Amino acid sequence: MAYTVPTLTDYSTAALEKAGGECIAACTAEATEVRSDLDLKSFRDRWIGRKNGVLTQVNDLWLKPAPKEAKREAGMRVNEIRTAIADIIDKAEHLRLELSTAAIESVDISLPGIRRPIGAEHPVIKTMHEIIGVFQRLGYSVAEGPVVETDYYNFEALNFPPNHPARDTQDTLFIAGQQAKPQRERLLLRTHTSPVQIRTMEKMRPPIRIVIPGTVHRNDPPDASHSPMFHQIEGLAVDKNITFGDLKGTLDHAMKALFGSSVKTHFRPSFFPFTEPSAELYVTCFICGGSGKRGADPCRPCKQTGWIEVLGCGMVDPNVFEFVKDNGYDPKTVSGFAFGMGVDRLALLKYGVDDLQYFFQGDVRFLEQFG
Ligand code: PHE
C-alpha cells in the first residue's frame, strides 16, 4: 500500500515523532523502487511536487491545523521531514546518474576480430635509418635541430655573410613579418641540415662525430624530382688532425656499405661557403654498374655517364670554427670534415621510383610495396 499522509489529532511529542518517522521510512522505501529516469521524475513529483506532493500535504495537514501550543514543535518536525526527503531524493538522483553512465555492454567473444594491417617503414625513413646505421657503426651519434631556424644558424654562422650571392642558391622560404628584427634573428625554414653543425658545436666540445637527419624546405615547385620539403642527412667530424684523407676514406666506406662493395667513389671540386676545400661525391651508378647502358638502352638515372652525384662535402671552413671558437674549436688546433646528402633522391634511385611525389602522397597502394 502506497503511503498517504494521515490527519493528526494527537499533537504530543510522541505522536509527532511517530508520524514523522513513518513518513521518512515510506520515502526511503519508495526510493529503492526507482529504476529509470522516468521513475525518478514521478518519485520527485510525488514527494516534493508543489501542488499535491507529500511534503505539501504534510504542511497542510499537520502544520497548518496545529493548535497554538504545538505549532513550534510541529514546525520543527516538518522541517526535519523536509531535510530528510531532500536528502533521499538527492541520493536517488546520484545513483541514477552513476548507473546510466556505467558501460552496460556485453562482448560477443565468438565474433572474429578486426584485422588491422601492419604498417611498414616509409621508404624515405627506411633509407634514412640505413644511412644513420652505417655511421653509428663507425661511432657517430645522432643530433637534431629545429626546422624553423634563424638566419644566423642557417646562413651567417655557416659563413654566408649578409647579401652573399651563395644565399640565392638556397631558394629560402622566409617566415613573414620578421622585418622588425635584426637580420640574424629573423626566422626561416632551414634550407639544409647544416645549421645543426653550429648548434651541436655550441653544446659539445671536440672531438665530435655526429650525423644529423631532418627535413628541410626550399622554394621549389613540386615535380618528379623536386619537392618544397625533403630530407637530408648531415655529417660532421671534428678532432685534432682530421684530414681530407679521413673524409675520403669515411665516405668511400659508407658508400660501399650502402650500395655494395663494388661501388667506386669519385670526388669533384665544388663550392660551399662553410667548407674549404669543397667537393661533390659521385658513386658508380648502381643501376647500370657504371657502364651508362642497360642492355641496348641508355641508363636514365645516371644520364648515361655511369656516375651518380650523391652528396656535397668538404673540410670545415676555419671561418665556421671562429663562430664556436670559445667552446674549444680554435681553427689553429682542430680540423674537421662535413657532408650533406639528400635522402629522398637516394631512396628514389635505390627503389627505382620514377616520381618523387609518390613519397609524399600517402597512397597506401604505393607504400604497401615496401612492407
Ligand atoms: N648543406 C649543403 C647542401 O644542402 C650540403 C653540404 C653539407 C655540403 C655539408 C658540404 C658540407 O647543399
Side-chain angles (χ1 to χ4, degrees):
M1 264 291 280
Y3 172 79
T4 49
V5 185
T7 44
L8 285 188
T9 43
D10 183 353
Y11 277 90
S12 69
T13 303
L16 281 171
E17 224 162 63
K18 182 168 176 285
E22 279 168 6
C23 178
I24 294 169
C27 184
T28 309
E30 283 182 31
T32 65
E33 305 291 317
V34 171
R35 295 268 180 280
S36 64
D37 287 349
L38 210 68
D39 288 354
L40 184 65
K41 190 182 177 315
S42 19
F43 176 65
R44 282 177 57 106
D45 286 348
R46 167 158 157 72
W47 287 88
I48 55 171
R50 288 239 176 275
K51 254 199 157 166
N52 214 17
V54 170
L55 205 59
T56 309
Q57 289 179 47
V58 165
N59 229 20
D60 291 349
L61 296 176
W62 299 356
L63 191 57
K64 281 188 188 155
K68 225 183 183 148
E69 63 283 5
K71 263 266 184 334
R72 219 177 95 83
E73 200 177 345
M76 276 160 49
R77 279 290 160 236
V78 171
N79 274 340
E80 271 173 29
I81 296 169
R82 176 177 296 120
T83 320
I85 292 178
D87 237 40
I88 296 166
I89 291 179
D90 208 48
K91 287 207 184 85
E93 278 171 347
H94 269 93
L95 193 68
R96 258 323 303 146
L97 198 73
E98 269 170 37
L99 288 175
S100 66
T101 49
I104 311 160
E105 195 180 276
S106 61
V107 176
D108 181 349
I109 57 163
S110 70
L111 284 172
I114 299 165
R115 211 178 272 275
R116 304 215 182 272
I118 298 171
E121 222 173 17
H122 188 281
V124 172
I125 302 300
K126 196 167 163 169
T127 307
M128 222 164 194
H129 282 155
E130 271 174 37
I131 300 169
I132 292 170
V134 168
F135 286 97
Q136 279 182 323
R137 288 187 283 280
L138 287 174
Y140 283 62
S141 40
V142 177
E144 284 182 295
V147 173
V148 179
E149 201 32 292
T150 58
D151 185 282
Y152 177 76
Y153 287 108
N154 198 79
F155 291 124
E156 191 179 334
L158 289 167
N159 199 31
F160 292 80
N163 305 317
H164 192 283
R167 288 179 174 227
D168 295 351
T169 64
Q170 300 273 325
D171 297 310
T172 311
L173 290 162
F174 294 93
I175 306 285
Q178 304 284 302
Q179 286 76 357
K181 294 182 183 169
Q183 175 154 4
R184 55 167 57 181
E185 287 169 31
R186 292 182 199 164
L187 298 175
L188 45 82
L189 296 181
R190 68 175 178 196
T191 57
H192 49 180
T193 41
S194 306
V196 192
Q197 289 189 28
I198 308 297
R199 288 185 174 275
T200 311
M201 288 193 283
E202 283 178 349
K203 275 187 269 173
M204 294 163 66
R205 299 177 69 83
I208 56 169
R209 281 162 180 74
I210 49 163
V211 278
I212 305 151
T215 54
V216 302
H217 293 76
R218 292 190 193 181
N219 185 18
D220 280 328
D223 65 26
S225 55
H226 292 88
S227 164
M229 184 285 297
F230 58 101
H231 300 78
Q232 285 192 340
I233 293 185
E234 187 90 8
L236 175 68
V238 183
D239 204 339
K240 290 192 173 117
N241 303 319
I242 295 235
T243 67
F244 200 88
D246 296 316
L247 163 63
K248 288 183 80 174
T250 303
L251 291 179
D252 184 73
H253 164 82
M255 295 305 121
K256 289 187 161 75
L258 284 172
F259 302 117
S261 54
S262 58
V263 149
K264 290 195 182 71
T265 53
H266 162 86
F267 292 79
R268 283 187 204 172
S270 183
F271 173 80
F272 300 102
F274 40 95
T275 47
E276 181 63 32
S278 303
E280 272 152 16
L281 171 62
Y282 286 73
V283 296
T284 41
C285 180
F286 35 84
I287 311 289
C288 67
S291 68
K293 289 204 183 69
R294 296 176 85 180
D297 297 329
C299 179
R300 279 216 295 150
C302 67
K303 302 194 190 90
Q304 303 181 61
T305 62
W307 293 96
I308 287 181
E309 188 203 326
V310 282
L311 54 80
C313 59
M315 301 306 289
V316 178
D317 193 304
N319 289 346
V320 170
F321 285 139
E322 289 293 335
F323 286 93
V324 285
K325 200 175 183 169
D326 292 347
N327 201 27
Y329 293 90
D330 185 340
K332 289 196 191 73
T333 54
V334 296
S335 59
F337 64 77
F339 57 87
M341 57 188 119
V343 183
D344 316 74
R345 210 173 74 84
L346 289 176
L348 274 188
L349 293 166
K350 193 167 149 75
Y351 294 107
V353 175
D354 57 17
D355 190 335
L356 181 62
Q357 297 309 314
Y358 285 131
F359 285 154
F360 307 126
Q361 284 162 348
D363 188 328
V364 174
R365 294 165 301 179
F366 170 74
L367 296 171
E368 262 173 359
Q369 302 174 78
F370 303 92

